[in-house]
Amino acid sequence: MDVMSSNHHTHPGPLTVGVLALQGDFREHREVLETMGHHVREIRKPEQLAEIDALIIPGGESTTIARLILSNGFQQPLREFCATGKPVWGTCAGAILLAKDVDNLDRPGIEVMDITVHRNAFGRQVDSFEADLDVRGIEDGPFRAVFIRAPLIREVRAPAEAICRLEDGTIVAAREGNLLATSFHPELTGDHRLHALFLTLGRTRAEATP
Amino acid sequence: MAEKGTWAVKVGLAQMLKGGVIMDVVTPEHAKIAEEAGACAVMALERVPSDIRKDGGVARMSDPEMIRGIIDAVTIPVMAKARIGHFVEADILEALGVDYVDESEVLTPADEAHHIDKHLFKVPFVCGCRNLGEALRRIGEGAAMIRTKGEAGTGDIVEAVRHMRTVQDEIRRLQTLSDDEIYAAAKDLQAPLELVKQVKREGRLPVVNFAAGGVATPADAALMMRLGADGVFVGSGIFKSENPALVAKAIVEATTHYMDNEVLARVSTGLGKAMPGISVSSLPEKELLAGRGW
């Protein structure tokens, strides 16, 4: 069991959470995490990954972030971070970058989750939308989800599992051990329940594979 | 139930563009170079501002065929410009599937009294400002993103700096006021009271604020980020330079690493000639674009 997991077991005290700050809405994630009482590091260099207990890859433009991941030598360090069992969450562009398979992205991302993601799946900006969704593991009512030129998760392969769908069955969130991917942006709505769930993922993994 | 065109999704797209570079492009080939370099969006227009400035005449919305060509060429968001007050150009851009409309002083204004009522659209709008009052008037009309006006097509950063510093200074000033002084402040700013109260409370604009108008080098982009910009627009600065692909990529890296002097030194090296540029102070008053709109 790693240090962070035992930390979770004893008390869910303040963690140091990294937000990949190459491009996108990293400040919004930062503000949510700070409101929850956690410490936040904006990550712009691979060596900064050593300082953090969990990582969020924010929304943004996936082509831009994919290029900056490569040009800044982040691809292998991010893969290694995902393999540590610490919680890693990709929102929107971040979800695209975590997927092993992506339609319509001209650069490799981090490629660690067993999901297939379709970029810009709902159309152009005028088709961006909000909806109330049920997310497995989230209690006390539906989650208000904001979708912005959003991707959908076309396929989820074990051990990854779908945890949220639209009314028509489209998968918009999935998890796989310590990894979480959402098509939408919980950092924009003031609802912290998914951020709280995310920070428990490492523990769940540690229990599953002691 | 799914709701489209809400304030959250309009403002949200601008939030996703933050820390990024939006590049002016005039052809699908330019758009591909911009995407390849890491632009987070492109602005489709017929002529870059420095050519508009040179050519004179009336500058209008671009040809829909050209905009479609750019939409088809890239997977990143595509913006396009409508003339100030020209709500039919905006209707057309929305129908084309443009992701953001720039109601822009770079084009010749169509209405000298009224900006577009941007609340009526599903597509979000970005508008230029020189100061806080102007920014809040545009937001009151429904703009979901703000940029400095700067002085487009000059390659001279001085006006963008002036406008960004003015906005930040006026925000700081509001925060020093007592609650009963806010009414007179709103009157002086000529801005909606509720928005003025919100800015005082939160200490920043209610929407994302990019720098635009004169950014020509990686150092210019980093300067604007350090002054508080959420991201940058680069117009003529890329495709009027000697090595557009190289300059574009360097400005993307500089916008991410705006606090990292080593990275800035590295990416600023070997870029060839920047766009020629015109000093704003040498321009006669009537040739300044930033005075358009109010």
Side-chain angles (χ1 to χ4, degrees):
Chain A
M1 190 184 294
D2 63 27
V3 172
M4 199 206 98
S5 303
S6 66
N7 180 29
H8 268 306
H9 276 296
T10 48
H11 55 90
L15 299 170
T16 301
V17 184
V19 184
L20 192 67
L22 298 176
Q23 190 268 324
D25 72 333
F26 45 87
R27 191 182 72 200
E28 283 72 4
H29 277 293
R30 177 184 190 119
E31 287 170 357
V32 172
L33 293 161
E34 285 177 344
T35 303
M36 294 168 73
H38 298 294
H39 308 294
V40 180
R41 299 273 183 280
E42 293 184 0
I43 306 295
R44 290 187 177 82
K45 290 183 169 182
E47 55 268 29
Q48 295 172 309
L49 293 169
E51 304 163 10
I52 57 175
D53 301 315
L55 176 69
I56 292 177
I57 302 165
E61 186 47 50
S62 53
T63 54
T64 302
I65 301 175
R67 280 160 173 73
L68 289 166
I69 283 174
L70 293 174
S71 66
N72 289 277
F74 261 110
Q75 192 185 43
Q76 196 52 35
L78 284 171
R79 285 177 179 162
E80 285 163 13
F81 188 88
C82 291
T84 59
K86 294 177 181 179
V88 180
W89 179 14
T91 57
C92 193
I96 294 169
L97 295 163
L98 287 177
K100 281 190 181 166
D101 298 291
V102 185
D103 299 341
N104 207 11
L105 182 67
D106 61 0
R107 291 286 194 287
I110 309 162
E111 300 179 326
V112 287
M113 265 185 101
D114 290 287
I115 56 176
T116 300
V117 172
H118 184 45
R119 272 183 80 215
N120 300 338
F122 298 94
R124 304 200 67 84
Q125 172 60 14
V126 291
D127 301 307
S128 292
F129 64 99
E130 296 181 56
D132 290 322
L133 302 176
D134 291 317
V135 183
R136 198 191 327 150
I138 297 284
E139 291 168 4
D140 303 323
F143 198 92
R144 186 69 169 173
V146 178
F147 293 84
I148 296 164
R149 284 174 51 97
L152 66 77
I153 301 172
R154 205 212 301 275
E155 196 191 330
V156 171
R157 294 176 296 280
E161 52 185 343
I163 60 165
C164 180
R165 293 172 188 268
L166 300 179
E167 277 180 349
D168 65 3
T170 304
I171 301 168
V172 291
R175 61 165 293 191
E176 178 174 348
N178 58 317
L179 309 176
L180 176 66
T182 58
S183 299
F184 51 93
H185 295 282
E187 71 279 17
L188 298 184
T189 44
D191 185 338
H192 302 169
R193 287 177 294 169
L194 256 168
H195 283 80
L197 174 75
F198 155 65
L199 291 173
T200 68
L201 290 183
R203 177 178 63 175
T204 311
R205 179 187 168 102
E207 283 167 354
T209 54
Chain B
M1 276 294 94
E3 290 177 67
K4 295 183 180 181
T6 62
W7 184 245
V9 303
K10 288 177 170 178
V11 173
L13 178 54
Q15 288 172 296
M16 297 313 135
L17 299 172
K18 288 195 306 180
V21 183
I22 301 168
M23 303 181 190
D24 278 4
V25 296
V26 302
T27 64
E29 291 67 39
H30 277 185
K32 283 182 183 154
I33 292 169
E35 183 177 50
E36 183 58 38
C40 66
V42 290
M43 176 75 70
L45 71 177
E46 241 158 34
R47 293 172 287 174
V48 294
S50 66
D51 287 333
I52 291 175
R53 191 175 281 287
K54 203 160 42 183
D55 298 350
V58 176
R60 310 181 180 90
M61 177 189 80
S62 297
D63 180 350
E65 189 181 334
M66 169 271 191
I67 294 171
R68 270 210 194 94
I70 287 170
I71 287 175
D72 291 341
V74 294
T75 64
I76 57 179
V78 176
M79 301 182 166
K81 292 183 193 288
R83 282 179 267 179
I84 289 173
H86 205 316
F87 51 85
V88 175
E89 285 188 347
D91 277 335
I92 292 169
L93 294 174
E94 182 176 80
L96 288 170
V98 160
D99 296 297
Y100 240 94
V101 174
D102 182 7
E103 187 182 19
S104 178
E105 71 283 357
V106 169
L107 306 184
T108 311
D111 191 323
E112 294 191 326
H114 305 285
H115 283 250
I116 297 170
D117 181 355
K118 295 166 273 289
H119 290 295
L120 301 177
F121 291 77
K122 266 191 184 153
V123 68
F125 282 74
V126 54
C127 289
C129 78
R130 289 163 294 176
N131 52 51
L132 182 60
E134 196 171 11
L136 296 181
R137 287 194 292 281
R138 298 293 85 78
I139 296 166
E141 296 155 2
M145 178 176 181
I146 290 293
R147 55 173 174 75
T148 61
K149 285 182 168 174
E151 191 57 37
T154 59
D156 186 347
I157 198 68
V158 67
E159 292 301 304
V161 168
R162 187 195 319 281
H163 300 159
M164 187 58 72
R165 279 200 185 273
T166 302
V167 169
Q168 305 292 2
D169 175 63
E170 288 172 325
I171 290 173
R172 280 192 298 271
R173 205 168 296 207
L174 269 188
Q175 291 182 282
T176 66
L177 299 182
S178 62
D179 287 344
D180 65 351
E181 291 170 331
I182 208 76
Y183 306 95
K187 184 205 76 179
D188 291 340
L189 289 168
Q190 300 180 50
L193 176 63
E194 284 313 310
L195 292 175
V196 175
K197 285 182 176 173
Q198 188 181 343
V199 171
K200 171 172 159 51
R201 198 167 55 237
E202 296 176 358
R204 62 175 180 233
L205 283 179
V207 303
V208 167
N209 183 21
F210 269 47
V215 177
T217 66
D220 288 346
L223 173 67
M224 295 314 298
M225 294 296 288
R226 287 195 200 180
L227 290 174
D230 291 314
V232 296
F233 284 87
V234 187
S236 323
I238 290 173
F239 289 99
K240 291 293 177 188
S241 71
E242 197 175 34
N243 294 309
L246 218 53
V247 170
K249 196 158 180 274
I251 292 178
V252 169
E253 292 285 343
T255 303
T256 293
H257 298 290
Y258 65 95
M259 294 299 290
D260 189 327
N261 296 336
E262 280 175 31
V263 174
L264 295 176
R266 176 166 52 79
V267 303
S268 300
T269 305
L271 297 179
K273 279 204 190 92
M275 71 176 281
I278 311 164
S279 158
V280 172
S281 59
S282 71
L283 286 171
E285 187 87 18
K286 67 177 176 42
E287 287 184 21
L288 297 177
L289 304 176
R292 297 167 167 184
W294 37 94

